[in-house]
Amino acid sequence: MTLKRRDFLLFLGAGTGAIAFDAMSNVNRKFSMPFMDRSDALKFSDADKFAEAATQSNPFSFKPIRGTMPLATDGMTKEKQQSAYSTFEVKDDLVLPEGYTYDVIAAWGDKVGDSRFGYNNDYNSFIETSKNEGFLTVNFEYISALPWEQGYEKIIGKTLPLQEMRTTFKAVGEDGMNVFELSDSDPMKANLQKIAKEALIDLGIGVILIRQTPEGKWVRANSSADRRITGISGLEDGRYLKATGPAIAVFRKKSGLGYIDKLGDRIIGTFNNCAGGTSPWGTVFSGEENIQNFVPEQVMADGTSLSPAKKKFGKNDEDEFTGLGNVFGLAGNKYGWMVEVDPANPNDYGTKHTWLGRFRHEAVGIRAEAGKPLAFYSGCDRRGGHLYKFVSQGKVGNPKDKANSRLLEKGMLYAAKFKPDGTGTWIALEANTPVNPDSLEVLAGKMLTLPKRPEGGAFKATKEEEIIAFKEKFKTLGDLYEGDPTEKQGAILIDAHYAANAVGATCTARPEDTDINIDGSLFINFTSGSISSSDGSPDVRIFKGRDGKAYEYGWIMRLVEDGNEPAAMTFKWKIFATGGEPSEGGLGFANPDNMVFDGSGNLWMVTDISSDKYNKAIPSRQDKEGKPVSQSNLRGLFGNSSIWFFPTSGPKAGEAYLFGFGPMECENTGPFFSPDQQTLFLSVQHPGEVNGTRKDMAFEMRKFAMKTPDGEEFMQTRKVPIGSNWPGLKPNDIPKPAVVAIRRIGKGST
């Protein structure tokens, strides 16, 4: 569903006038990040023609860099586009417009407090403590096994029994090993614990103090508050994480239907920390996303965990670590939450707020307005995942008061129900809410996962008769969960995704980021509308391609609460931007991921294409059998992970302009503006994830069957590096995830 500009501008006026707070960088808005007068030519043919055409079609002084794909905003004829885009050289670097540069602030392995900067940094939050100085809080999501194993000894300075691990995993096969139940005297257990511990140390959250020099460069300032909250915090150091809300009643159970770790409401560590959000009162929220890779996700009817044996330690088909939590007997129900940290408090190691729900959290959009309830928005990043909103029982006083964190201890969690007519409602996840799952006919994959009772866990409903039988057997959410009222509410929140399926919340297209613009409207990045045989698929009445079927490339949606009230129970929605090739109605990007608004309300977005699809050759749009290449396998057309700029108002609202590309096989994540809007902090995650270290500057020449915006096909020859040497950029340098500060060249700190 593509929104015409006139409709969008009319819709934009539906909800203005409210003051919304979603990040410290957005509280004191002054002006947008300034742009230079010339784009980066990237040393390709017809670069000057491209820059000239871009200038004519773009009303801003910002001239986009040239991407791999012709865009409608190029301002070129199709003949000029075919010439200009006939060749392309991919760079193993962070490519920005001319006049911009970046500083590497911290990279994997750098010392942080008594630990180190972790791996696969994601969300960034900068909270200023004085002029040109402040705390940078960074998430660390997961381990990319190949480059991590290649670089560990050199970067960290220690050895690991990796060969012994490979031999063990080869012997046990795909199922992995239940390390938790091995005897402590077994040398194999000690070896695997050592590897798992080091991997979990590289995950979680980090806090570092940084400052900008008079010359403009961002550097570490070092502070006693610099610290790491890792995947094993509390295991040996006593730095347990805390929790609030009803799920505590489940954590404190002495016995139950499933596994109990006997730690009560104390929690060991945080991991799979993906996107997040920053509150106006100066705390940072970190979303635990793909916890199903490390611990069992499904639970029993009383909210207790499945046994750690259900997720054994091993490697999956993509050679990535799985079951890291099994090694230490971690209880799965304690992961998949939103974690709050106060960067300025060196003794704060995180609080998991269970009223915000347990699911594959990607991000959080925060509305804190004086005299109104607090509203938190978050998405569950899975195919068929839901959009959620928490509304506090109490009201906000001063939005900058740290006491606002207490508002997260009482309220209600809701899941969104989207209607095809552009309206929607919020469904409460509480015991008396009727069970009413959607019909399978509206889902692209004709499958829905529902709570399995009395056995626990979940089952896949693939026939309409199963949906009917489920509704007949269970009338309300309370029928699906056990315990006293508080325990039952806690169990519902622990099982939020499956509970939301049961009450008929809309299955969506991987909602990865939720961010609030200055007018109070919520923007949501829906990354992919494809189908998963294990998780599910979106409602094709809402999320569909031009042919009415599942659509891979994703959308950006804008949602306005009725009356623009944070606590409203109804809303309106529109698609703001659609991914995909321009010839198919898209704007030239694929798989939108994280986003941030600048001080003028313009949207900045980064993409996340599967690493094995970056620059994958597409010499023909038909396979060997003459069938069209799938949308998923066409994603090589879009090049590396990219950075985009979208005006949200005015005559160019909803148009897309390319600002940058990331290094090889990386994902650009966590964009965040400094308060003065002069610096864009950005994570460069997993460079070299597929091919590891680039050896001797290796590259390949690949062919791509491209299309002009009007659909005429032409062939592009693309020079593609194999692996990565970023950020060192010297031949054979080990690739490392790192956080950078993007700024104008010569921009000082005064």
Side-chain angles (χ1 to χ4, degrees), residues 590-608:
N591 305 128
D593 190 349
N594 297 153
M595 59 182 162
V596 68
F597 289 100
D598 64 27
S600 296
N602 298 308
L603 179 66
W604 297 73
M605 180 271 287
V606 292
T607 63
D608 177 19

mmCIF file of all heavy atoms in Angstrom, residues 590-608:
data_model
loop_
_atom_site.group_PDB
_atom_site.id
_atom_site.type_symbol
_atom_site.label_atom_id
_atom_site.label_comp_id
_atom_site.label_asym_id
_atom_site.label_seq_id
_atom_site.Cartn_x
_atom_site.Cartn_y
_atom_site.Cartn_z
ATOM 1 N N ALA A 590 15.841 -1.270 0.691
ATOM 2 C CA ALA A 590 15.274 -2.561 1.055
ATOM 3 C C ALA A 590 15.484 -2.816 2.531
ATOM 4 O O ALA A 590 16.554 -2.547 3.073
ATOM 5 C CB ALA A 590 15.919 -3.685 0.239
ATOM 6 N N ASN A 591 14.452 -3.336 3.180
ATOM 7 C CA ASN A 591 14.507 -3.760 4.581
ATOM 8 C C ASN A 591 14.886 -2.636 5.541
ATOM 9 O O ASN A 591 15.956 -2.650 6.162
ATOM 10 C CB ASN A 591 15.470 -4.938 4.741
ATOM 11 C CG ASN A 591 15.140 -6.109 3.823
ATOM 12 O OD1 ASN A 591 15.981 -6.602 3.111
ATOM 13 N ND2 ASN A 591 13.883 -6.539 3.838
ATOM 14 N N PRO A 592 13.995 -1.645 5.724
ATOM 15 C CA PRO A 592 14.267 -0.555 6.673
ATOM 16 C C PRO A 592 14.387 -1.086 8.092
ATOM 17 O O PRO A 592 13.634 -1.958 8.512
ATOM 18 C CB PRO A 592 13.039 0.355 6.520
ATOM 19 C CG PRO A 592 11.952 -0.552 6.023
ATOM 20 C CD PRO A 592 12.645 -1.540 5.136
ATOM 21 N N ASP A 593 15.358 -0.557 8.833
ATOM 22 C CA ASP A 593 15.640 -1.076 10.172
ATOM 23 C C ASP A 593 15.514 0.037 11.208
ATOM 24 O O ASP A 593 14.432 0.420 11.599
ATOM 25 C CB ASP A 593 17.029 -1.710 10.179
ATOM 26 C CG ASP A 593 17.318 -2.498 11.442
ATOM 27 O OD1 ASP A 593 16.555 -2.401 12.405
ATOM 28 O OD2 ASP A 593 18.331 -3.213 11.475
ATOM 29 N N ASN A 594 16.631 0.617 11.635
ATOM 30 C CA ASN A 594 16.586 1.669 12.652
ATOM 31 C C ASN A 594 16.346 3.028 12.030
ATOM 32 O O ASN A 594 16.631 3.252 10.844
ATOM 33 C CB ASN A 594 17.900 1.711 13.434
ATOM 34 C CG ASN A 594 18.175 0.435 14.202
ATOM 35 O OD1 ASN A 594 19.309 0.101 14.461
ATOM 36 N ND2 ASN A 594 17.132 -0.297 14.565
ATOM 37 N N MET A 595 15.841 3.963 12.838
ATOM 38 C CA MET A 595 15.606 5.322 12.351
ATOM 39 C C MET A 595 15.769 6.311 13.500
ATOM 40 O O MET A 595 15.783 5.944 14.674
ATOM 41 C CB MET A 595 14.212 5.441 11.741
ATOM 42 C CG MET A 595 13.081 5.111 12.694
ATOM 43 S SD MET A 595 11.466 5.232 11.884
ATOM 44 C CE MET A 595 10.442 4.289 13.007
ATOM 45 N N VAL A 596 15.885 7.590 13.122
ATOM 46 C CA VAL A 596 15.958 8.673 14.091
ATOM 47 C C VAL A 596 15.470 9.939 13.397
ATOM 48 O O VAL A 596 15.607 10.076 12.170
ATOM 49 C CB VAL A 596 17.401 8.848 14.618
ATOM 50 C CG1 VAL A 596 18.345 9.360 13.529
ATOM 51 C CG2 VAL A 596 17.444 9.763 15.839
ATOM 52 N N PHE A 597 14.887 10.845 14.165
ATOM 53 C CA PHE A 597 14.456 12.128 13.621
ATOM 54 C C PHE A 597 15.476 13.198 13.972
ATOM 55 O O PHE A 597 16.032 13.209 15.078
ATOM 56 C CB PHE A 597 13.095 12.534 14.186
ATOM 57 C CG PHE A 597 11.967 11.703 13.660
ATOM 58 C CD1 PHE A 597 11.444 10.670 14.418
ATOM 59 C CD2 PHE A 597 11.440 11.938 12.407
ATOM 60 C CE1 PHE A 597 10.407 9.892 13.942
ATOM 61 C CE2 PHE A 597 10.406 11.164 11.911
ATOM 62 C CZ PHE A 597 9.885 10.133 12.678
ATOM 63 N N ASP A 598 15.727 14.098 13.031
ATOM 64 C CA ASP A 598 16.582 15.235 13.342
ATOM 65 C C ASP A 598 15.723 16.347 13.941
ATOM 66 O O ASP A 598 14.514 16.200 14.145
ATOM 67 C CB ASP A 598 17.386 15.694 12.121
ATOM 68 C CG ASP A 598 16.530 16.232 10.969
ATOM 69 O OD1 ASP A 598 15.411 16.736 11.230
ATOM 70 O OD2 ASP A 598 16.979 16.171 9.811
ATOM 71 N N GLY A 599 16.359 17.472 14.238
ATOM 72 C CA GLY A 599 15.674 18.545 14.938
ATOM 73 C C GLY A 599 14.563 19.201 14.157
ATOM 74 O O GLY A 599 13.737 19.917 14.740
ATOM 75 N N SER A 600 14.505 18.994 12.842
ATOM 76 C CA SER A 600 13.430 19.559 12.028
ATOM 77 C C SER A 600 12.343 18.551 11.718
ATOM 78 O O SER A 600 11.434 18.828 10.942
ATOM 79 C CB SER A 600 14.014 20.106 10.711
ATOM 80 O OG SER A 600 14.895 21.171 10.968
ATOM 81 N N GLY A 601 12.459 17.369 12.308
ATOM 82 C CA GLY A 601 11.449 16.345 12.080
ATOM 83 C C GLY A 601 11.678 15.514 10.847
ATOM 84 O O GLY A 601 10.815 14.706 10.476
ATOM 85 N N ASN A 602 12.842 15.681 10.172
ATOM 86 C CA ASN A 602 13.170 14.829 9.037
ATOM 87 C C ASN A 602 13.598 13.454 9.545
ATOM 88 O O ASN A 602 14.201 13.322 10.614
ATOM 89 C CB ASN A 602 14.298 15.439 8.208
ATOM 90 C CG ASN A 602 13.919 16.778 7.628
ATOM 91 O OD1 ASN A 602 12.884 16.914 6.978
ATOM 92 N ND2 ASN A 602 14.745 17.783 7.858
ATOM 93 N N LEU A 603 13.309 12.440 8.765
ATOM 94 C CA LEU A 603 13.575 11.064 9.163
ATOM 95 C C LEU A 603 14.869 10.557 8.533
ATOM 96 O O LEU A 603 15.110 10.726 7.336
ATOM 97 C CB LEU A 603 12.415 10.171 8.722
ATOM 98 C CG LEU A 603 12.527 8.677 9.028
ATOM 99 C CD1 LEU A 603 12.504 8.441 10.529
ATOM 100 C CD2 LEU A 603 11.401 7.910 8.345
ATOM 101 N N TRP A 604 15.698 9.920 9.354
ATOM 102 C CA TRP A 604 16.913 9.249 8.903
ATOM 103 C C TRP A 604 16.741 7.765 9.178
ATOM 104 O O TRP A 604 16.327 7.366 10.267
ATOM 105 C CB TRP A 604 18.137 9.782 9.634
ATOM 106 C CG TRP A 604 18.402 11.241 9.365
ATOM 107 C CD1 TRP A 604 17.694 12.317 9.828
ATOM 108 C CD2 TRP A 604 19.442 11.775 8.563
ATOM 109 N NE1 TRP A 604 18.235 13.485 9.366
ATOM 110 C CE2 TRP A 604 19.318 13.181 8.580
ATOM 111 C CE3 TRP A 604 20.486 11.212 7.837
ATOM 112 C CZ2 TRP A 604 20.188 14.022 7.904
ATOM 113 C CZ3 TRP A 604 21.362 12.039 7.149
ATOM 114 C CH2 TRP A 604 21.200 13.434 7.186
ATOM 115 N N MET A 605 17.075 6.929 8.186
ATOM 116 C CA MET A 605 16.824 5.501 8.309
ATOM 117 C C MET A 605 18.018 4.707 7.781
ATOM 118 O O MET A 605 18.662 5.109 6.819
ATOM 119 C CB MET A 605 15.555 5.147 7.534
ATOM 120 C CG MET A 605 15.164 3.671 7.579
ATOM 121 S SD MET A 605 15.935 2.709 6.238
ATOM 122 C CE MET A 605 15.007 3.270 4.816
ATOM 123 N N VAL A 606 18.301 3.583 8.439
ATOM 124 C CA VAL A 606 19.338 2.666 7.966
ATOM 125 C C VAL A 606 18.692 1.327 7.639
ATOM 126 O O VAL A 606 17.677 0.948 8.220
ATOM 127 C CB VAL A 606 20.459 2.488 9.010
ATOM 128 C CG1 VAL A 606 21.250 3.767 9.158
ATOM 129 C CG2 VAL A 606 19.907 2.052 10.366
ATOM 130 N N THR A 607 19.290 0.596 6.699
ATOM 131 C CA THR A 607 18.704 -0.654 6.222
ATOM 132 C C THR A 607 19.457 -1.872 6.751
ATOM 133 O O THR A 607 20.623 -1.790 7.131
ATOM 134 C CB THR A 607 18.706 -0.705 4.683
ATOM 135 O OG1 THR A 607 20.053 -0.686 4.202
ATOM 136 C CG2 THR A 607 17.935 0.472 4.103
ATOM 137 N N ASP A 608 18.756 -3.008 6.727
ATOM 138 C CA ASP A 608 19.326 -4.262 7.203
ATOM 139 C C ASP A 608 18.916 -5.400 6.280
ATOM 140 O O ASP A 608 17.924 -6.084 6.521
ATOM 141 C CB ASP A 608 18.869 -4.547 8.640
ATOM 142 C CG ASP A 608 19.381 -5.891 9.149
ATOM 143 O OD1 ASP A 608 20.339 -6.418 8.565
ATOM 144 O OD2 ASP A 608 18.820 -6.401 10.131
#
